[in-house]
Amino acid sequence: MKGVVGVLALQGDFREHKEALKRLGIEAKEVRKREHIQDIKALIVPGGESTTIGKLARDYGIEEEVRKRVEEGSLAVFGTCAGAIWMAKEILGYPEQPRLGVLDVAVERNAFGRQVESFQEELEIKGLGPFRGVFIRAPVFRRLGEGVEVLAELNGLPVLVRQGRLLASAFHPELTEDPRVHHYFLELADL
Ligand code: GLN
């Protein structure tokens, strides 16, 4: 390992992300305060409730510190579901919701309808092949900026996207036993 991986541990399923990293032999650091960002090279932002994660990250100064490190190019970030919403520049219908705002997409929350609480679907991920997508009140990426590459789609809608060293998924790879998406992120983080 060439650097420390952090998992944002304010709210949501951060323990599952830590488990996924353990399967790859990595002991991740829990990030709960601004100071915890300093020595990490990659950050995973879990699924959960994006309004809560956003509010706490803003209150604790984490949002500002992460944005600075991303803009410097010294931090890779992977967000799943609520984490992906937090990363987006635009959250449709929620202009005031606190966010990191570095991923050049507009995201639509609960895009599969509130009735469709959760479902699983086989996806085809570019470069990785078939992957079981676990969707829970999932968002979709609606408007993609020029630098954003689509790595997987569901019903023609982007559900896994990459922009440089930023990765965002509408589904939850941390809720499967398959660590390939986490592995892919570590590679793009150069770890
Ligand atoms: N719908 C939730 C939100 O907007 C995200 C759900 C999830 O992370 N599974 O924050």
Side-chain angles (χ1 to χ4, degrees):
M1 273 314 270
K2 291 182 265 171
V4 180
V5 182
V7 177
L8 190 64
L10 299 175
Q11 192 270 336
D13 72 342
F14 56 89
R15 292 176 195 87
E16 285 78 359
H17 276 289
K18 288 184 75 186
E19 286 302 316
L21 291 167
K22 237 180 222 160
R23 277 181 216 115
L24 296 168
I26 290 159
E27 196 60 50
K29 170 176 171 175
E30 291 188 7
V31 170
R32 296 174 188 276
K33 297 186 201 174
R34 187 180 189 133
E35 303 84 85
H36 296 162
I37 307 284
Q38 270 150 20
D39 65 340
I40 66 173
K41 271 193 73 178
L43 177 68
I44 295 183
V45 186
E49 188 47 54
S50 60
T51 48
T52 309
I53 293 173
K55 183 178 185 321
L56 295 174
R58 181 162 287 181
D59 290 352
Y60 299 163
I62 291 172
E63 176 195 306
E64 193 183 12
E65 188 66 22
V66 170
R67 188 180 299 115
K68 191 184 99 196
R69 293 280 315 275
V70 168
E71 281 165 3
E72 269 171 22
S74 64
L75 185 69
V77 184
F78 173 27
T80 61
C81 203
I85 296 168
W86 183 65
M87 291 169 73
K89 282 203 168 147
E90 191 182 351
I91 304 172
L92 295 167
Y94 299 90
E96 304 300 328
Q97 182 173 325
R99 80 205 62 166
L100 181 64
V102 293
L103 182 68
D104 194 6
V105 299
V107 77
E108 182 185 344
R109 296 176 62 190
N110 304 306
F112 295 95
R114 285 208 169 259
Q115 307 88 309
V116 190
E117 282 289 300
S118 69
F119 58 94
Q120 299 195 12
E121 203 66 56
E122 199 70 37
L123 303 170
E124 184 66 30
I125 299 181
K126 215 172 173 179
L128 295 185
F131 194 92
R132 175 149 295 271
V134 177
F135 293 81
I136 304 170
R137 289 180 292 116
V140 293
F141 306 109
R142 288 286 180 194
R143 173 194 57 75
L144 307 185
E146 285 218 333
V148 180
E149 184 189 0
V150 177
L151 299 176
E153 289 181 343
L154 177 62
N155 306 332
L157 298 168
V159 291
L160 179 65
V161 298
R162 173 188 174 175
Q163 175 191 321
R165 299 173 76 227
L166 305 175
L167 183 68
S169 68
F171 56 97
H172 294 271
E174 74 280 16
L175 298 182
T176 63
E177 305 270 291
D178 187 340
R180 283 177 298 151
V181 177
H182 288 78
H183 183 257
Y184 175 85
F185 172 60
L186 297 178
E187 271 185 357
L188 86 85
D190 193 25
L191 284 171

